Amino acid sequence: MSLPADTSIAFIGVGAMGSSIASGLLASGALEGSQVLACDHSASKLEPLRRLGARTFPGARELLAQDPSVVVLAVKPQVLPALLEELAGRLEGRLVVSIAAGVSLEALEGLLPKSRVVRAMPNLPVQLRSGATAVCGGTSARAEDVLLVQEAFSAVGVACVMREDQLDAESAVVGCAPAFMALFLDQLVRAGVERGLPAPACRSMLLSTMRGVAEQLMDGGEHPRAYMERVTSPGGTTAAALRAMEPQALGAVFGGVDAALARNAELMGRRERS
């Protein structure tokens, strides 16, 4: 996917998520190096993007002087208010995208009353163009702004427009999903090792299987439940394993998502009181 030729996207902050989005956009071919700008207080974080052809700057003021089409705020939520108080005047009239979890559009628009604000909640596989992002426009954002942000994140995976009241659940389910899936993989490897399999071979085979299942589900559009039924023989070993695993797995998944939502609410409350 290619974005409009005159599009430039600037990243303020290139930690794990900011650098993953920027490098994913470059790897996808959606943007050329000259169209990706980045700044960070750490020169070492900027270096990988500079090697990919991105334009890097020591600070936000130098970056914004280049007049980028889109500004992505990729800093930690706790430092975002102070940053926006400093930069609000330089962000007037711009399309600003925040990827900060738990910082509402109302709060962002309060700090940026003259900017067009969009929230985006991506997950880490955007670096490999296999991520997932929820997008929501604020009251000041135009329909074409939301579409542009959706198209940008679609270049690094799947991007869906949602209501803001859905973003917390998306973050708890989809945002945390890479860690959930890695946990399940680790548990399977441990089970294999305890039953005598060599760890490297077990891990390699399971990773290949996980990738294959994901590709089959995506390519065929099959529902996961239908896929499970297709690969489970009546009265077989997989059926016995699923019968033992499913009740506990369901409780663990719901409990994990609820814990993530509770923690998000706690952190939002702290930020609102500070």
Side-chain angles (χ1 to χ4, degrees):
M1 173 181 290
S2 295
L3 293 166
D6 60 349
T7 301
S8 57
I9 300 182
F11 292 83
I12 298 179
V14 286
M17 189 59 75
S19 63
S20 293
I21 300 166
S23 60
L25 283 168
L26 290 168
S28 72
L31 295 176
E32 297 180 358
S34 61
Q35 296 172 279
V36 175
L37 300 77
C39 69
D40 196 281
H41 60 81
S42 170
S44 62
K45 291 181 180 179
L46 291 169
E47 182 59 24
L49 289 175
R50 189 191 65 77
R51 291 199 299 267
L52 291 173
R55 299 157 61 193
T56 61
F57 302 86
R61 297 189 178 203
E62 296 89 340
L63 179 148
L64 294 174
Q66 306 303 308
D67 196 28
S69 311
V70 183
V71 178
V72 178
L73 305 172
V75 299
K76 294 184 183 300
Q78 57 266 34
V79 305
L80 190 57
L83 175 71
L84 295 187
E85 285 180 11
E86 176 188 348
L87 297 177
R90 297 174 184 270
L91 292 171
E92 286 186 11
R94 297 186 188 275
L95 173 54
V96 179
V97 180
S98 169
I99 64 168
V103 181
S104 69
L105 284 166
E106 182 181 10
L108 291 165
E109 290 183 326
L111 292 164
L112 297 171
K114 297 183 180 180
S115 302
R116 306 184 327 268
V117 180
V118 173
R119 282 185 68 190
M121 289 285 99
N123 62 11
L124 202 55
V126 292
Q127 184 175 19
L128 301 177
R129 305 191 303 281
S130 191
T133 305
V135 176
C136 180
T139 58
S140 57
R142 303 189 292 252
E144 55 265 36
D145 294 329
V146 176
L147 179 61
L148 177 61
V149 175
Q150 183 184 18
E151 289 178 343
F153 281 98
S154 293
V156 291
V158 174
C160 300
V161 176
M162 295 186 178
R163 303 189 310 268
E164 187 172 27
D165 64 332
Q166 296 171 319
L167 293 191
D168 287 345
E170 187 275 343
S171 180
V173 175
V174 181
C176 296
F180 296 162
M181 294 175 185
L183 173 64
F184 183 60
L185 174 68
D186 181 66
Q187 296 290 328
L188 283 175
V189 172
R190 289 178 60 186
V193 170
E194 289 188 10
R195 272 75 178 170
L197 296 178
C202 185
R203 186 178 301 110
S204 178
M205 288 189 290
L206 286 169
L207 282 168
S208 181
T209 300
M210 181 180 284
R211 179 172 56 202
V213 170
E215 290 177 356
Q216 286 182 312
L217 288 172
M218 290 183 70
D219 292 344
E222 191 172 17
H223 192 284
R225 176 63 60 176
Y227 183 90
M228 288 167 57
E229 292 174 353
R230 185 160 61 86
V231 300
T232 303
S233 300
T237 57
T238 304
L242 290 173
R243 185 174 64 251
M245 294 172 66
E246 193 165 5
Q248 297 180 64
L250 185 65
V253 168
F254 275 68
V257 169
D258 287 345
L261 284 167
R263 180 59 174 163
N264 182 70
E266 179 184 352
L267 292 174
M268 284 186 67
R270 286 183 183 177
R271 282 192 286 272
E272 289 171 359
R273 290 192 298 270
S274 62

